[in-house]
Amino acid sequence: EKIRVVFGADADNAIRIFKCESGLRPEAENKNTNGSIDAGIAQINSVHGVKAKWLKNPDVSIAIAKQIYDQQGWSPWVCARKLGIIN
């Protein structure tokens, strides 16, 4: 529901992408081969300067994801390509 409120008309894509990225698990955390960390429901990468412990809060993860989406579209999320939402 929080994703729907924050993302509005883009919520269906957000839910599909975040489900692919994290299984919609707030505690999800993955270390990448380059040493960066993806954390939270939206799997926000540590390059964005937010600590994983904060991104495990769904409200924070969803809010940061919306900021990133507003600036860059879906391109930061690998699953957006896997799901065919972007090329």
Side-chain angles (χ1 to χ4, degrees):
E1 188 61 33
K2 292 176 185 183
I3 295 170
R4 290 204 179 280
V5 169
V6 172
F7 277 86
D10 297 312
D12 287 342
N13 282 335
I15 291 167
R16 288 180 60 212
I17 291 167
F18 301 161
K19 186 173 183 179
C20 173
E21 292 277 347
S22 70
L24 296 176
R25 294 175 299 119
E27 74 282 359
E29 183 174 316
N30 295 293
K31 188 171 184 178
N32 299 306
T33 56
N34 66 1
S36 66
I37 303 285
D38 296 332
I41 286 176
Q43 290 292 279
I44 304 297
N45 191 279
S46 55
V47 301
H48 296 284
V50 182
K51 293 185 181 208
K53 72 176 185 176
W54 294 111
L55 292 170
K56 291 179 182 180
N57 175 320
D59 293 330
V60 173
S61 185
I62 293 165
I64 299 293
K66 180 67 162 90
Q67 290 175 356
I68 294 168
Y69 170 73
D70 287 346
Q71 294 171 355
Q72 301 177 42
W74 295 119
S75 62
W77 287 274
V78 171
C79 282
R81 285 181 282 291
K82 286 182 183 179
L83 295 169
I85 293 168
I86 61 170
N87 294 328

Coordinates of all heavy atoms in Angstrom, one line a residue:
E1 N 0.8 -1.2 0.0 CA 0.0 0.0 0.0 C 0.9 1.3 0.0 O 0.5 2.2 -0.7 CB -0.9 0.0 1.2 CG -2.0 1.1 1.2 CD -2.9 1.0 0.0 OE1 -3.2 -0.1 -0.5 OE2 -3.3 2.1 -0.4
K2 N 2.0 1.3 0.8 CA 2.9 2.4 0.8 C 3.4 2.7 -0.6 O 3.5 3.9 -0.9 CB 4.0 2.2 1.8 CG 3.5 2.1 3.2 CD 4.7 1.8 4.2 CE 4.1 1.6 5.6 NZ 5.2 1.4 6.5
I3 N 3.7 1.7 -1.3 CA 4.3 1.9 -2.7 C 3.2 2.6 -3.5 O 3.5 3.5 -4.3 CB 4.7 0.6 -3.3 CG1 5.9 0.0 -2.5 CG2 5.1 0.8 -4.8 CD1 6.3 -1.4 -2.8
R4 N 2.0 2.2 -3.4 CA 0.9 2.7 -4.2 C 0.7 4.2 -3.9 O 0.5 5.0 -4.8 CB -0.4 2.0 -4.0 CG -0.4 0.6 -4.6 CD -1.8 0.1 -4.9 NE -1.7 -1.2 -5.5 CZ -1.4 -1.5 -6.8 NH1 -1.1 -0.5 -7.6 NH2 -1.3 -2.7 -7.2
V5 N 0.8 4.6 -2.6 CA 0.6 6.0 -2.2 C 1.7 6.8 -2.8 O 1.5 7.9 -3.3 CB 0.5 6.1 -0.7 CG1 0.6 7.5 -0.2 CG2 -0.8 5.4 -0.1
V6 N 3.0 6.4 -2.6 CA 4.1 7.2 -3.0 C 4.3 7.2 -4.5 O 4.6 8.3 -5.1 CB 5.4 6.6 -2.4 CG1 6.7 7.3 -2.9 CG2 5.3 6.8 -0.8
F7 N 4.1 6.1 -5.2 CA 4.3 6.1 -6.7 C 3.1 6.4 -7.5 O 3.3 6.6 -8.7 CB 4.9 4.7 -7.1 CG 6.4 4.6 -6.8 CD1 6.9 4.3 -5.6 CD2 7.3 4.9 -7.8 CE1 8.3 4.2 -5.4 CE2 8.7 4.8 -7.6 CZ 9.2 4.5 -6.4
G8 N 1.9 6.4 -6.9 CA 0.7 6.7 -7.7 C 0.6 5.9 -9.0 O 0.5 4.7 -8.9
A9 N 0.5 6.6 -10.1 CA 0.2 6.0 -11.4 C 1.4 5.0 -11.8 O 1.2 4.1 -12.6 CB 0.1 7.0 -12.5
D10 N 2.5 5.1 -11.2 CA 3.7 4.3 -11.5 C 3.8 3.1 -10.5 O 4.8 2.3 -10.6 CB 5.0 5.1 -11.5 CG 5.0 6.2 -12.6 OD1 4.6 5.8 -13.7 OD2 5.3 7.3 -12.2
A11 N 2.8 2.9 -9.6 CA 2.9 1.9 -8.6 C 3.0 0.5 -9.1 O 3.7 -0.3 -8.5 CB 1.7 2.1 -7.6
D12 N 2.2 0.2 -10.1 CA 2.2 -1.2 -10.6 C 3.6 -1.6 -11.1 O 4.1 -2.7 -10.7 CB 1.2 -1.4 -11.8 CG -0.2 -1.4 -11.3 OD1 -0.4 -1.6 -10.1 OD2 -1.1 -1.3 -12.1
N13 N 4.3 -0.7 -11.8 CA 5.7 -1.0 -12.2 C 6.6 -1.1 -11.0 O 7.5 -1.9 -10.9 CB 6.2 0.0 -13.2 CG 5.7 -0.3 -14.6 OD1 5.3 -1.4 -15.0 ND2 5.6 0.8 -15.4
A14 N 6.4 -0.2 -10.1 CA 7.3 -0.2 -8.9 C 7.1 -1.5 -8.1 O 8.1 -2.1 -7.7 CB 6.9 1.0 -8.0
I15 N 5.9 -1.9 -7.9 CA 5.7 -3.2 -7.2 C 6.3 -4.4 -7.9 O 7.0 -5.2 -7.3 CB 4.2 -3.4 -7.0 CG1 3.7 -2.3 -6.0 CG2 3.9 -4.8 -6.5 CD1 2.2 -2.2 -5.9
R16 N 6.1 -4.4 -9.2 CA 6.7 -5.5 -10.0 C 8.3 -5.5 -9.9 O 8.9 -6.5 -9.7 CB 6.3 -5.4 -11.5 CG 4.9 -5.8 -11.8 CD 4.5 -5.6 -13.2 NE 5.4 -6.5 -14.1 CZ 5.8 -6.2 -15.3 NH1 5.4 -5.1 -15.9 NH2 6.5 -7.0 -16.0
I17 N 8.8 -4.3 -10.0 CA 10.3 -4.2 -10.0 C 10.8 -4.5 -8.6 O 11.8 -5.3 -8.4 CB 10.8 -2.8 -10.4 CG1 10.5 -2.6 -11.9 CG2 12.2 -2.5 -10.0 CD1 10.6 -1.2 -12.3
F18 N 10.2 -4.0 -7.5 CA 10.7 -4.2 -6.2 C 10.5 -5.7 -5.7 O 11.3 -6.2 -5.0 CB 10.0 -3.3 -5.2 CG 10.3 -1.8 -5.5 CD1 9.5 -0.8 -5.0 CD2 11.3 -1.4 -6.3 CE1 9.7 0.5 -5.2 CE2 11.6 -0.1 -6.6 CZ 10.7 0.9 -6.1
K19 N 9.4 -6.3 -6.2 CA 9.2 -7.7 -6.0 C 10.3 -8.6 -6.6 O 10.8 -9.5 -6.0 CB 7.8 -8.2 -6.5 CG 7.5 -9.6 -6.1 CD 6.0 -9.9 -6.5 CE 5.7 -11.3 -6.0 NZ 4.3 -11.7 -6.3
C20 N 10.7 -8.2 -7.8 CA 11.8 -8.9 -8.5 C 13.1 -8.6 -7.7 O 13.9 -9.6 -7.6 CB 11.8 -8.4 -9.9 SG 13.3 -9.0 -10.9
E21 N 13.3 -7.4 -7.3 CA 14.6 -7.0 -6.7 C 14.8 -7.6 -5.3 O 15.8 -8.1 -5.0 CB 14.7 -5.5 -6.6 CG 14.8 -4.8 -7.9 CD 16.2 -4.7 -8.4 OE1 17.2 -5.0 -7.7 OE2 16.4 -4.3 -9.6
S22 N 13.7 -7.6 -4.5 CA 13.9 -8.0 -3.1 C 12.8 -9.0 -2.6 O 12.9 -9.3 -1.4 CB 13.7 -6.7 -2.2 OG 12.4 -6.2 -2.2
G23 N 11.9 -9.3 -3.4 CA 10.8 -10.1 -2.9 C 9.9 -9.3 -2.0 O 9.1 -9.9 -1.2
L24 N 10.0 -8.0 -2.0 CA 9.3 -7.0 -1.2 C 9.7 -7.2 0.3 O 8.9 -7.0 1.2 CB 7.8 -7.1 -1.4 CG 7.3 -6.7 -2.8 CD1 5.8 -6.8 -2.9 CD2 7.7 -5.2 -3.1
R25 N 10.9 -7.7 0.6 CA 11.4 -7.9 1.9 C 12.1 -6.7 2.4 O 13.2 -6.4 1.9 CB 12.2 -9.2 2.0 CG 11.5 -10.5 1.7 CD 12.4 -11.7 1.7 NE 13.5 -11.5 0.6 CZ 14.8 -11.4 0.9 NH1 15.3 -11.6 2.1 NH2 15.6 -11.3 -0.1
P26 N 11.7 -6.0 3.5 CA 12.4 -4.8 4.0 C 13.8 -5.1 4.4 O 14.7 -4.3 4.3 CB 11.5 -4.4 5.2 CG 10.2 -5.0 5.0 CD 10.4 -6.3 4.2
E27 N 14.1 -6.3 4.9 CA 15.4 -6.7 5.4 C 16.4 -7.1 4.3 O 17.6 -7.4 4.6 CB 15.3 -7.8 6.5 CG 15.0 -9.2 5.9 CD 13.5 -9.4 5.5 OE1 12.7 -8.5 5.7 OE2 13.2 -10.5 5.1
A28 N 15.9 -7.2 3.1 CA 16.8 -7.7 2.0 C 18.1 -6.8 1.9 O 18.0 -5.6 1.9 CB 16.0 -7.7 0.7
E29 N 19.2 -7.5 1.7 CA 20.5 -6.9 1.5 C 21.4 -7.8 0.7 O 21.5 -8.9 1.0 CB 21.1 -6.6 2.9 CG 22.4 -5.8 2.8 CD 23.0 -5.5 4.1 OE1 22.3 -5.0 5.0 OE2 24.2 -5.6 4.3
N30 N 22.0 -7.2 -0.3 CA 22.8 -7.9 -1.2 C 24.1 -7.2 -1.5 O 24.1 -6.0 -1.8 CB 22.1 -8.2 -2.6 CG 20.9 -9.1 -2.4 OD1 21.0 -10.3 -2.0 ND2 19.7 -8.5 -2.6
K31 N 25.2 -7.9 -1.4 CA 26.5 -7.3 -1.8 C 26.8 -7.5 -3.2 O 26.7 -8.7 -3.7 CB 27.6 -7.9 -0.9 CG 28.9 -7.2 -1.1 CD 30.0 -7.7 -0.1 CE 31.2 -6.8 -0.2 NZ 32.2 -7.2 0.8
N32 N 27.2 -6.5 -4.0 CA 27.5 -6.6 -5.4 C 28.9 -6.9 -5.6 O 29.8 -6.7 -4.7 CB 27.1 -5.3 -6.1 CG 25.6 -5.0 -5.9 OD1 24.8 -5.8 -6.3 ND2 25.3 -3.8 -5.4
T33 N 29.3 -7.4 -6.8 CA 30.6 -7.7 -7.1 C 31.6 -6.5 -7.0 O 32.8 -6.7 -6.8 CB 30.7 -8.4 -8.5 OG1 30.2 -7.5 -9.5 CG2 30.0 -9.7 -8.6
N34 N 31.1 -5.3 -7.2 CA 31.9 -4.1 -7.1 C 32.1 -3.6 -5.6 O 32.7 -2.6 -5.4 CB 31.4 -3.0 -8.0 CG 30.0 -2.5 -7.5 OD1 29.5 -2.9 -6.5 ND2 29.5 -1.5 -8.2
G35 N 31.5 -4.4 -4.7 CA 31.6 -4.0 -3.2 C 30.5 -3.2 -2.7 O 30.4 -2.9 -1.5
S36 N 29.7 -2.6 -3.6 CA 28.5 -1.8 -3.1 C 27.4 -2.8 -2.6 O 27.5 -4.0 -2.8 CB 28.0 -1.0 -4.3 OG 27.4 -1.8 -5.3
I37 N 26.5 -2.2 -1.8 CA 25.4 -2.9 -1.2 C 24.1 -2.4 -1.7 O 23.9 -1.2 -1.9 CB 25.5 -2.7 0.3 CG1 26.8 -3.1 0.9 CG2 24.3 -3.4 1.0 CD1 27.0 -4.6 1.1
D38 N 23.2 -3.3 -2.0 CA 21.8 -3.0 -2.3 C 21.0 -3.4 -1.1 O 21.2 -4.5 -0.6 CB 21.3 -3.8 -3.5 CG 22.0 -3.4 -4.8 OD1 22.5 -2.3 -4.9 OD2 22.1 -4.3 -5.7
A39 N 20.1 -2.5 -0.6 CA 19.4 -2.8 0.6 C 17.9 -2.3 0.5 O 17.6 -1.4 -0.2 CB 20.0 -2.2 1.8
G40 N 17.1 -3.0 1.3 CA 15.7 -2.7 1.5 C 14.8 -3.2 0.4 O 15.2 -3.9 -0.5
I41 N 13.5 -2.8 0.5 CA 12.5 -3.2 -0.4 C 12.8 -2.9 -1.9 O 12.7 -3.7 -2.8 CB 11.1 -2.6 -0.1 CG1 10.5 -3.3 1.2 CG2 10.1 -2.7 -1.2 CD1 9.2 -2.7 1.7
A42 N 13.3 -1.7 -2.0 CA 13.7 -1.2 -3.4 C 15.1 -1.5 -3.8 O 15.5 -1.1 -4.9 CB 13.4 0.3 -3.5
Q43 N 15.9 -2.1 -2.9 CA 17.3 -2.5 -3.2 C 18.0 -1.3 -3.7 O 18.6 -1.2 -4.8 CB 17.3 -3.6 -4.2 CG 16.9 -4.9 -3.7 CD 17.8 -5.5 -2.6 OE1 18.9 -6.0 -2.9 NE2 17.5 -5.3 -1.3
I44 N 18.0 -0.2 -2.9 CA 18.8 1.0 -3.2 C 20.3 0.7 -3.0 O 20.7 0.2 -2.0 CB 18.3 2.2 -2.2 CG1 16.8 2.4 -2.3 CG2 19.1 3.4 -2.5 CD1 16.3 2.8 -3.6
N45 N 21.1 1.2 -3.9 CA 22.5 0.9 -3.9 C 23.2 1.9 -3.0 O 22.8 3.1 -2.9 CB 23.1 1.0 -5.3 CG 24.5 0.5 -5.4 OD1 25.4 1.3 -5.0 ND2 24.7 -0.7 -5.8
S46 N 24.2 1.5 -2.3 CA 25.0 2.3 -1.4 C 25.6 3.5 -2.0 O 25.9 4.5 -1.3 CB 26.0 1.5 -0.6 OG 26.9 0.8 -1.5
V47 N 25.7 3.6 -3.3 CA 26.3 4.7 -4.0 C 25.4 6.0 -3.8 O 25.9 7.1 -4.0 CB 26.5 4.5 -5.5 CG1 27.5 3.4 -5.8 CG2 25.2 4.3 -6.3
H48 N 24.2 5.8 -3.3 CA 23.3 6.9 -3.1 C 23.5 7.5 -1.7 O 22.8 8.5 -1.4 CB 21.8 6.5 -3.3 CG 21.6 6.1 -4.7 ND1 21.4 7.0 -5.7 CD2 21.4 4.9 -5.3 CE1 21.2 6.4 -6.9 NE2 21.2 5.1 -6.6
G49 N 24.4 7.0 -0.9 CA 24.8 7.6 0.3 C 23.9 7.3 1.5 O 24.0 8.0 2.5
V50 N 23.0 6.4 1.4 CA 22.1 6.1 2.5 C 22.5 4.7 3.1 O 22.6 3.8 2.3 CB 20.6 6.0 2.1 CG1 19.7 5.8 3.3 CG2 20.2 7.4 1.4
K51 N 22.7 4.6 4.4 CA 23.2 3.4 5.0 C 22.1 2.3 4.9 O 20.9 2.6 5.0 CB 23.5 3.6 6.5 CG 24.8 4.5 6.6 CD 25.2 4.6 8.0 CE 26.4 5.5 8.1 NZ 27.3 5.3 9.2
A52 N 22.5 1.1 4.8 CA 21.6 -0.1 4.7 C 20.6 -0.1 5.8 O 19.5 -0.4 5.6 CB 22.4 -1.4 4.5
K53 N 21.1 0.2 7.0 CA 20.2 0.1 8.2 C 19.0 1.0 8.0 O 17.9 0.7 8.5 CB 20.9 0.4 9.5 CG 21.3 1.8 9.7 CD 22.0 2.0 11.1 CE 22.2 3.5 11.4 NZ 22.8 3.7 12.7
W54 N 19.2 2.2 7.4 CA 18.0 3.1 7.1 C 17.2 2.6 6.0 O 15.9 2.7 6.0 CB 18.5 4.5 6.9 CG 19.2 5.1 8.1 CD1 20.5 5.4 8.2 CD2 18.6 5.4 9.3 NE1 20.8 5.9 9.5 CE2 19.6 5.9 10.1 CE3 17.3 5.4 9.8 CZ2 19.3 6.4 11.4 CZ3 17.0 5.8 11.1 CH2 18.0 6.3 11.9
L55 N 17.8 2.0 5.0 CA 17.0 1.5 3.8 C 16.2 0.3 4.2 O 15.3 0.0 3.4 CB 18.0 1.2 2.7 CG 18.7 2.4 2.1 CD1 19.8 2.0 1.1 CD2 17.6 3.3 1.4
K56 N 16.4 -0.4 5.3 CA 15.6 -1.5 5.7 C 14.3 -1.0 6.3 O 13.4 -1.8 6.6 CB 16.4 -2.4 6.6 CG 17.5 -3.1 5.9 CD 18.4 -4.0 6.8 CE 19.5 -4.6 6.0 NZ 20.3 -5.5 6.8
N57 N 14.2 0.3 6.5 CA 12.9 0.9 6.9 C 12.1 1.1 5.6 O 12.5 1.8 4.7 CB 13.1 2.2 7.6 CG 11.8 2.9 7.9 OD1 10.9 3.0 7.2 ND2 11.8 3.5 9.1
P58 N 11.0 0.4 5.4 CA 10.2 0.5 4.2 C 9.9 1.9 3.8 O 9.9 2.3 2.6 CB 8.9 -0.3 4.5 CG 9.3 -1.2 5.5 CD 10.3 -0.5 6.4
D59 N 9.5 2.8 4.7 CA 9.2 4.2 4.4 C 10.4 4.9 3.8 O 10.2 5.6 2.8 CB 8.7 4.9 5.6 CG 7.4 4.4 6.1 OD1 6.6 3.9 5.3 OD2 7.1 4.5 7.4
V60 N 11.6 4.7 4.3 CA 12.8 5.3 3.8 C 13.1 4.7 2.4 O 13.4 5.5 1.5 CB 14.0 5.1 4.8 CG1 15.3 5.6 4.2 CG2 13.7 5.8 6.1
S61 N 13.1 3.4 2.3 CA 13.4 2.8 1.0 C 12.5 3.3 -0.1 O 13.0 3.6 -1.2 CB 13.4 1.3 1.2 OG 13.8 0.6 0.0
I62 N 11.2 3.3 0.2 CA 10.3 3.7 -0.8 C 10.4 5.2 -1.2 O 10.4 5.6 -2.4 CB 8.8 3.4 -0.4 CG1 8.7 1.9 -0.3 CG2 7.8 4.0 -1.3 CD1 7.4 1.4 0.5
A63 N 10.7 6.0 -0.2 CA 10.9 7.5 -0.4 C 12.1 7.7 -1.3 O 12.1 8.5 -2.2 CB 10.9 8.2 0.9
I64 N 13.2 7.1 -0.9 CA 14.5 7.2 -1.7 C 14.3 6.7 -3.1 O 14.7 7.3 -4.1 CB 15.6 6.5 -1.0 CG1 15.9 7.1 0.4 CG2 16.9 6.6 -1.8 CD1 16.4 8.6 0.5
A65 N 13.6 5.6 -3.2 CA 13.4 5.0 -4.5 C 12.6 6.0 -5.4 O 12.9 6.1 -6.6 CB 12.6 3.7 -4.4
K66 N 11.6 6.6 -4.8 CA 10.8 7.6 -5.6 C 11.7 8.8 -6.0 O 11.6 9.3 -7.2 CB 9.6 8.1 -4.8 CG 8.7 9.1 -5.5 CD 8.0 8.5 -6.7 CE 6.8 9.3 -7.1 NZ 7.1 10.3 -8.1
Q67 N 12.6 9.3 -5.2 CA 13.5 10.3 -5.6 C 14.4 9.9 -6.7 O 14.6 10.7 -7.7 CB 14.3 10.7 -4.4 CG 13.6 11.5 -3.3 CD 14.5 11.7 -2.1 OE1 15.6 11.4 -2.0 NE2 13.9 12.4 -1.1
I68 N 14.9 8.7 -6.6 CA 15.8 8.2 -7.7 C 15.0 8.0 -9.0 O 15.4 8.4 -10.1 CB 16.4 6.9 -7.3 CG1 17.4 7.1 -6.1 CG2 17.1 6.2 -8.5 CD1 17.9 5.8 -5.4
Y69 N 13.8 7.5 -8.9 CA 12.9 7.3 -10.1 C 12.6 8.6 -10.7 O 12.7 8.8 -11.9 CB 11.6 6.6 -9.7 CG 10.6 6.6 -10.8 CD1 10.8 5.7 -11.9 CD2 9.5 7.4 -10.7 CE1 9.8 5.8 -12.9 CE2 8.6 7.4 -11.7 CZ 8.7 6.6 -12.8 OH 7.8 6.6 -13.9
D70 N 12.3 9.6 -9.9 CA 11.9 11.0 -10.5 C 13.1 11.6 -11.2 O 12.9 12.3 -12.2 CB 11.5 11.9 -9.3 CG 10.1 11.6 -8.8 OD1 9.3 10.8 -9.5 OD2 9.7 12.1 -7.8
Q71 N 14.3 11.3 -10.8 CA 15.5 11.8 -11.4 C 16.0 11.0 -12.6 O 16.5 11.5 -13.6 CB 16.6 11.9 -10.4 CG 16.4 12.9 -9.3 CD 17.4 12.9 -8.2 OE1 18.3 12.0 -8.2 NE2 17.3 13.8 -7.3
Q72 N 15.9 9.6 -12.5 CA 16.5 8.7 -13.5 C 15.6 7.7 -14.1 O 16.1 6.9 -15.0 CB 17.6 8.0 -12.8 CG 18.7 8.8 -12.2 CD 19.7 8.0 -11.4 OE1 20.2 7.0 -11.9 NE2 20.1 8.5 -10.2
G73 N 14.3 7.7 -13.8 CA 13.4 6.7 -14.3 C 13.8 5.3 -13.7 O 14.4 5.3 -12.6
W74 N 13.4 4.3 -14.4 CA 13.6 2.9 -13.9 C 15.0 2.4 -14.2 O 15.3 1.2 -13.7 CB 12.6 2.0 -14.4 CG 11.2 2.2 -14.0 CD1 10.1 2.6 -14.8 CD2 10.7 2.3 -12.6 NE1 9.0 2.8 -14.0 CE2 9.3 2.6 -12.7 CE3 11.3 2.0 -11.4 CZ2 8.5 2.7 -11.5 CZ3 10.5 2.1 -10.2 CH2 9.2 2.4 -10.3
S75 N 15.8 3.1 -14.9 CA 17.1 2.6 -15.3 C 18.1 2.1 -14.2 O 18.8 1.1 -14.4 CB 17.9 3.6 -16.2 OG 18.2 4.7 -15.5
P76 N 18.0 2.6 -12.9 CA 18.9 2.1 -11.9 C 18.6 0.7 -11.4 O 19.4 0.0 -10.8 CB 18.7 3.1 -10.8 CG 18.3 4.3 -11.4 CD 17.4 3.9 -12.5
W77 N 17.4 0.2 -11.8 CA 17.0 -1.2 -11.3 C 17.1 -2.2 -12.4 O 16.5 -2.2 -13.4 CB 15.5 -1.1 -10.8 CG 15.3 -0.4 -9.5 CD1 15.5 -0.9 -8.3 CD2 15.0 1.0 -9.3 NE1 15.3 0.0 -7.3 CE2 15.0 1.2 -7.9 CE3 14.8 2.0 -10.2 CZ2 14.7 2.5 -7.4 CZ3 14.5 3.3 -9.7 CH2 14.5 3.5 -8.3
V78 N 18.0 -3.2 -12.2 CA 18.2 -4.3 -13.1 C 16.9 -5.0 -13.5 O 16.7 -5.3 -14.6 CB 19.2 -5.3 -12.5 CG1 19.4 -6.5 -13.4 CG2 20.6 -4.6 -12.3
C79 N 16.1 -5.2 -12.5 CA 14.8 -5.9 -12.8 C 13.9 -5.2 -13.8 O 13.1 -5.8 -14.4 CB 14.1 -6.2 -11.5 SG 14.8 -7.6 -10.6
A80 N 14.1 -3.9 -13.9 CA 13.2 -3.1 -14.9 C 13.5 -3.6 -16.3 O 12.6 -3.7 -17.1 CB 13.5 -1.6 -14.8
R81 N 14.8 -4.0 -16.5 CA 15.2 -4.5 -17.8 C 14.7 -6.0 -17.9 O 14.2 -6.4 -18.9 CB 16.7 -4.4 -18.1 CG 17.1 -3.0 -18.4 CD 18.6 -2.8 -18.7 NE 19.4 -2.8 -17.4 CZ 19.4 -1.8 -16.5 NH1 18.6 -0.8 -16.7 NH2 20.1 -1.9 -15.5
K82 N 15.0 -6.7 -16.9 CA 14.6 -8.2 -16.9 C 13.1 -8.3 -17.1 O 12.7 -9.3 -17.8 CB 14.9 -8.8 -15.5 CG 16.3 -9.1 -15.3 CD 16.5 -9.8 -13.9 CE 18.0 -10.0 -13.6 NZ 18.2 -10.6 -12.3
L83 N 12.3 -7.4 -16.6 CA 10.8 -7.5 -16.7 C 10.3 -6.8 -18.0 O 9.1 -6.9 -18.3 CB 10.2 -6.8 -15.5 CG 10.4 -7.5 -14.2 CD1 9.9 -6.6 -13.0 CD2 9.7 -8.9 -14.1
G84 N 11.2 -6.2 -18.8 CA 10.8 -5.6 -20.0 C 10.1 -4.2 -19.8 O 9.5 -3.7 -20.8
I85 N 10.3 -3.6 -18.6 CA 9.7 -2.3 -18.4 C 10.5 -1.2 -19.1 O 9.9 -0.2 -19.6 CB 9.6 -2.1 -16.9 CG1 8.5 -3.0 -16.3 CG2 9.2 -0.6 -16.6 CD1 8.5 -3.1 -14.8
I86 N 11.8 -1.4 -19.2 CA 12.6 -0.6 -20.0 C 13.5 -1.5 -20.9 O 13.7 -2.7 -20.6 CB 13.5 0.4 -19.2 CG1 14.4 -0.4 -18.3 CG2 12.6 1.4 -18.5 CD1 15.5 0.5 -17.6
N87 N 14.1 -1.0 -21.9 CA 15.0 -1.8 -22.7 C 16.4 -1.9 -22.1 O 16.9 -1.0 -21.6 CB 15.2 -1.1 -24.1 CG 13.8 -1.2 -24.9 OD1 13.1 -2.2 -24.7 ND2 13.6 -0.2 -25.7

